[in-house]
Amino acid sequence: QVYLVESGGGLVQTGGSLRLSCVASGSIGSINVMGWYRQAPGKQRELVATITSAGSTNYADSVKDRFTISRDNAKNTLYLQMNSLKPEETAVYYCNLKDYRRGVEYVSWGQGTQVTVSS
């Protein structure tokens, strides 16, 4: 069982910054991908950014050059630095982990953290 706990959400003004964190615990496969997704009211959950256990990153076009995903493997912690935030980025942000154990893919989600960007 893998547990993901997010923190760092809150209320920020347009153009402001926030840093989200996600701590993973449990039995995690050494080969894995961690990521951030978000879901705004009435919309589908969408990818924000991912990072592999080797450090390769991928970003949604809408956040490139403003958001930075990183991880500390020693602490099993994932981060998302968000700069120049926009009101339309108000959403619940979820931490996600895909890992592989004995050839089987497992997908885990955190409970989410609310980010509200005021105009």
Side-chain angles (χ1 to χ4, degrees), residues 52-65:
T52 70
S53 47
S56 297
T57 59
N58 178 56
Y59 293 91
D61 287 342
S62 61
V63 306
K64 282 181 181 176
D65 300 325

Side-chain angles (χ1 to χ4, degrees), residues 7-34:
S7 61
L11 174 65
V12 65
Q13 291 185 335
T14 297
S17 299
L18 281 175
R19 187 192 195 206
L20 305 183
S21 299
C22 171
V23 178
S25 60
S27 179
I28 302 170
S30 59
I31 299 175
N32 60 72
V33 181
M34 296 190 77

